[in-house]
């Protein structure tokens, strides 16, 4: 178990100066802030009411959901083709056949990255009202 910097200071006999120690006590001095300005720093903001609710047009929301499902189906299909190719490579070629899967896995990772970027961009455009 390691000790933190505070424990090391206490074990080695290092102490903070008196001015620094008093600043950490309740009611201790705070540099640059006098008692008359302390009350103005703790001012609570006024209540602003309920948050604005953004409603999306149903047509745009449906188009976004279709796009999400299109990406999901594409990725699931490519994952299925990759799995089938891996099974066939293992069955017919043996363990050396897994080297043939490297381009397919690279394409799958590229498709995942493209889907993430595309859906994030579409969602931001949808919520910003473009």
């Amino acid at each position: 178990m390691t000790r933190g910097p505070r424990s090391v200071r206490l074990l080695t006999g290092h102490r903070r100066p008196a001015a620094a120690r008093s600043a950490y006590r309740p009611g201790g001095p705070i540099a640059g802030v006098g008692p008359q300005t302390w009350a103005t720093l703790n001012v609570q903001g006024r209540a602003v009411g309920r948050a604005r609710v953004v409603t999306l047009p149903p047509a745009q929301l449906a188009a976004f959901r279709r796009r999400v499902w299109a990406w999901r189906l594409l990725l699931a299909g490519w994952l299925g083709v990759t799995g089938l190719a891996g099974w066939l490579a293992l069955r017919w070629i043996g363990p050396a056949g897994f080297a043939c899967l490297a381009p397919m896995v690279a394409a799958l990772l590229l498709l995942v990255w493209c889907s993430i970027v595309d859906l994030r961009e579409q969602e931001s455009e949808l919520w910003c009202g473009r």
Side-chain angles (χ1 to χ4, degrees):
M1 186 159 119
T2 61
R3 296 184 180 271
R6 184 170 180 269
S7 298
V8 171
R9 280 197 316 263
L10 292 176
L11 286 174
T12 57
H14 173 74
R15 300 282 182 213
R16 289 185 301 226
R21 280 193 304 257
S22 66
Y24 290 102
R25 273 188 264 132
I30 297 174
V33 179
Q36 66 276 6
T37 59
W38 184 252
T40 61
L41 292 176
N42 288 331
V43 174
Q44 296 291 326
R46 64 177 180 83
V48 293
R50 293 185 357 211
R52 184 174 64 106
V53 177
V54 178
T55 57
L56 297 174
Q60 289 180 354
L61 194 57
F64 180 70
R65 286 184 180 149
R66 279 193 305 271
R67 191 176 200 121
V68 169
W69 277 104
W71 274 113
R72 286 179 183 169
L73 289 174
L74 176 69
L75 292 173
W78 191 258
L79 183 65
V81 168
T82 304
L84 181 64
W87 180 76
L88 289 174
L90 183 63
R91 184 161 172 90
W92 286 350
I93 301 173
F98 281 124
C100 301
L101 291 179
M104 295 185 77
V105 171
L108 180 66
L109 292 176
L110 182 67
L111 282 173
V112 167
W113 179 75
C114 288
S115 69
I116 289 170
V117 169
D118 180 53
L119 291 176
R120 189 177 293 165
E121 180 181 311
Q122 290 295 322
E123 186 179 19
S124 69
E125 288 179 2
L126 184 68
W127 286 108
C128 290
R130 291 184 184 174

